[in-house]
Structures are given as structure tokens and as C-alpha cells.
Amino acid sequence: MEEKIIDEKKQGQALTLEPKEENSRKLYIESYGCQMNFSDSEIVASILADEGFNTTNKLEDADLVLVNTCSIRDKAEQSVRKRLEKYNAVKRKNPKMKVGVLGCMAERLKDKFLDEEKIVDMVVGPDAYKDLPNLVKEIEAGRDAVNVILSKEETYGDISPVRLGTNGINALVSITRGCDNMCTFCVVPFTRGRERSRDPQSILSEIQDLAEKGYKEVTLLGQNVDSYLWYGGGLKKEFKNASEMQKATATNFSQLLSLVAEAHPKMRIRFSTSNPQDMTLDVIHTMAKYPNICNHIHLPVQSGSTRILKEMNRQHTREEYIQLIDAVREIIPDCGISQDIITGFPTETDEDHRDTLSLMEYVKYDFGYMFKYSERPGTMAARKLEDDIPEAIKKQRLTEIVDLQLEHSAYRTHQFVGKTVEVLIEKESKKSDAHWSGRNPQSTVTVFPKEHYRPGDFVLVQVEDCTGATLIGNAIGFSENN
Ligand code: 5AD
Ligand code: SF4
């Protein structure tokens, strides 16, 4: 996936929700990795709330400790391993406490955690959360429990997730699970299984519920949202055969976007992640048509070299990517665009690296997430290609692309100075308790004096200054969206 990395601050923090009075057991749940994991943890907390668990952010108080894990890079797995050591240290003092691993590492390492390492009581893969009530009973009876079966259907569409650590303003709504792309570096198709789309009606009803609770922004989530496709209902007798019916009644991503945008004209809509080869002009036109769909696309490129893109099994060339960027800029001139880039992929030459820098120069991304290549066991790249770029070169190249991105982010924030932007207030600014912080549609963080405004307000902000990543201004009034 091109998983957008969640706010660093939330990584590994135990997030909680309002307790239910009738619940007596305590769940401590920590999440690592992408937004999808954070969204999944809400599904898990929701399932366990029905099993008598309230959440706690005190590890020592927990009856059950769960960690939702990420396998995307070795570093992500190492952070989780450190946490497992910590949980086990606490467990030694409180032997009744049970520890479970969820998510991608659970799927990748399966019963190794139980049998060889003996560091957990329960292992649950991303498609097995509905089995948690049974699995928890097993561990409470003193037996190890494991379910890492991947599903072709599970979308958790019927679970209405609780919201963990929420500000009551922004929410994540998952629309697809899994990934069929098979980029050669990526472990996700192995840990999250085949791609499947969720019923649009269940997506709409989840968003309706959020709207009723006062939420102002939803992010539609999937490893590859542009390939969303739901084969809808319809009466068979109206069509010649099932496949004709499926085609006629299908909902694709741009149609889903229109459905959501029309149902909730005051709700801000974001989505992540887009894949260049699957992003259609229809999607871009739909974004342009509805003012409540934010003008921001997270469009990972991974490399600017067509040769490397081919080795990565990305289904696009440098030129096709550039064409897509040109189309976005033509249809939505003020669209924010962000990237993911991997540096030091096997066989990457200086020339390939320069291609990445020149592509960045062309796009001038608003922001991005850049990584050194990390070989993942079992992936096509690990099987076929030697991880041959020395660490020092990976590091050097990463520094160069990060530095260039910093320049471009500063260039982009400067473009907003003197302009008025609409900001949805999310929270207090990290640096000053006299300022609010929110984002403009392009997803650039904007801070301004609080005055009489409140979190959840849509405010027009006159941008007066900026740093490399943040806009600084003054509110000039509520926007029409309020
Ligand atoms: N090594 C480094 N980065 C990776 N990503 C995915 N797999 C790897 C890997 N093996 C990056 C990609 C993806 C983002 C979520 O993580 O850039 O878009
Ligand atoms: Fe993203 Fe490619 Fe991995 Fe799918 S295989 S999750 S598209 S990086």
C-alpha cells in the first residue's frame, strides 16, 4: 500500500474511548504503521467493547494488551519487538495479563511468535478480527490462540467502529482492503491479502452516522482507493445475464466519491492512497466538481526512473506519471500533491537517482514520505534481486531527496502567502496555546490566533507568513461551509 503514515505522535500511543459502565475488563491497544491499522484498531476495540472490554492507556492496568503491527519496513517491526519486550516485563509482574499481536506482523510471522519465541498469547491477522471473541476465550482458558486466515470477502462493513483517541472532527473510513498490485518491494499483498471493496451502502451509513455525531471530515481509506469497485445489486430479470447486470450496477471510485460528496455537502472528503495506474480522469473531474472533496492527492511515485519502476513492477512509467500530474494540474490547478519515494532499490544507479530528483523537480510536491529500501522476506524483490545498494549510498540518496522535498515544501507554502484559505480547525497548535491548528484543502497545516473560533469550525484564514511546512495567518471569518 501506499500507506500514508499517521501523525508520528500517534504511533504507538495507546488510544482510548469513552468507557461503557457495564464493562469491567480493560483493553490496552497500541497501533503502529498506516492509517488502515489505526482504522482497524477501531474495529477491534468495537468488537471487544461488546465482549466487556473498556480501553485504558495504562499498560499496568490492562487485562488484555494488543499491538496492531506494521511490517512495511524492518524498522517498523523492530519498534514493535521493543514494545513486546516491554509488555512482557509488565506481564512478569502481572501474570494474569494477556498479550496479543494483531495486523501485518501477525500475518507475516504467524505462529512463530507463539511457538518459537513464546512472547505472546494470541496472534490475529488483519482479516480475523471477528474471531476475537472466541480467541479471547481461548487465551482466558489458558490456551494459545491464533487466527491468520486471510479472506477474499471480509471488509468489516457490518461493524460500526468506535473512534479511538478522536477529536470528534476527523474520521477514517475504510473502503477497500488488501492489494492486488504486487509491487515487488511490498509485503502488503502477503499480509493483507487480496483486494476487496466494501458495500457503498455501508460506507454511506457509516459516514451518515459520523455526520450525525458532528464529524466534519472523513478520509476514505484503502491501499489503492482508485481500484474501488463494487458490483451492486439490481434485479436480475432486468438484465440479459449476471455479468451484464454487474457492469450496469457497479460502483467505481469516482462514483463512490460523488455519492459521498452529494450525500454530505458540508463534510470534507479526503482519500488515500491513490495509485498512478488506477487513477482515472473521472476521479479528477469528480474532485473538481464537488467543492467538499479536498484538492489533495497522495500519489506515491516510488521512483522517477522508468527502469526502476519496471523492476518494482509498478504499472506506470515516468512519462505516464508525468502525464497524470499534468492532467491533475490542468483540471485542478491548485491541487496539493504528495508522494512516497523509496531510495536505494536494488540496482538503482546514480542516473536512476537523478531521475527521481528531476521528477521531484518537475512536480514540486507539497510534501512526501521518503524511505530507504528495506528488503522484506518473501517479496518478489527479496527473491529475485540482491539488496545491493550499500547503506551509505542509500543514506546519502535519502538525504538528497529529503532536502529537495524540504525546498519544494517551502516553495509550496510560500505560494499561499497573501491568499485566503479555508481551514477546518482540528486542535490547539503544538507550539502555542493561543493558536488553533487545522489544514487547508491541500492538507497543509495552518495556524492562527484562536479568537472566538472553536475546533470543528470551518474558518477563512488570510495567510500572512509561512515556515517550510506550515501556514501562519489570521482568521477573517467563518467560511460558508459552517
Ligand atoms: N522498503 C522501503 N519502503 C517501502 N514502502 C513499501 N515497502 C517498502 C520497502 N520494502 C514504502 C512505499 C509505500 C510506503 C507506504 O512505504 O513508499 O508507498
Ligand atoms: Fe501499495 Fe504496491 Fe504495496 Fe499495493 S503492492 S500496498 S500498491 S506499494
Side-chain angles (χ1 to χ4, degrees), residues 42 79 83 98 163 234 257 290 392 396:
E42 298 185 331
S79 331
R83 291 304 290 159
K98 302 286 178 194
R163 307 286 159 187
L257 273 179
Y290 295 99
Q396 171 62 29

Side-chain angles (χ1 to χ4, degrees), residues 112-129:
K112 220 170 147 191
F113 275 132
L114 291 168
D115 296 347
E116 287 172 31
E117 306 189 26
K118 302 197 191 315
I119 44 174
V120 299
D121 304 290
M122 180 171 75
V123 178
V124 193
D127 286 345
Y129 298 144

Side-chain angles (χ1 to χ4, degrees), residues 216 265-268 291-292 422 458 478-482:
K216 300 292 172 70
K266 285 189 180 286
M267 180 81 95
R268 262 192 181 182
N292 55 332
E422 187 198 63
F458 287 99
F478 287 106
S479 91
E480 277 175 12
N481 213 6
N482 272 293

Side-chain angles (χ1 to χ4, degrees), residues 1-3 72-73 185 302 340 342 372 374 376:
M1 146 163 156
E2 340 255 329
E3 299 168 272
I72 199 107
R73 284 169 291 278
F185 51 79
Q302 314 298 3
D340 287 348
I342 297 177
K372 284 185 285 186
S374 164
R376 308 313 295 131

Side-chain angles (χ1 to χ4, degrees), residues 313-349:
N313 193 31
R314 300 284 291 178
Q315 305 297 315
H316 59 89
T317 60
R318 172 190 175 93
E319 290 69 31
E320 284 161 345
Y321 186 89
I322 287 177
Q323 272 173 15
L324 181 60
I325 295 287
D326 290 347
V328 172
R329 297 257 187 254
E330 198 188 313
I331 300 166
I332 313 173
D334 69 343
C335 197
I337 304 180
S338 52
Q339 46 85 349
D340 287 348
I341 290 175
I342 297 177
T343 189
F345 186 79
T347 77
E348 185 186 72
T349 61

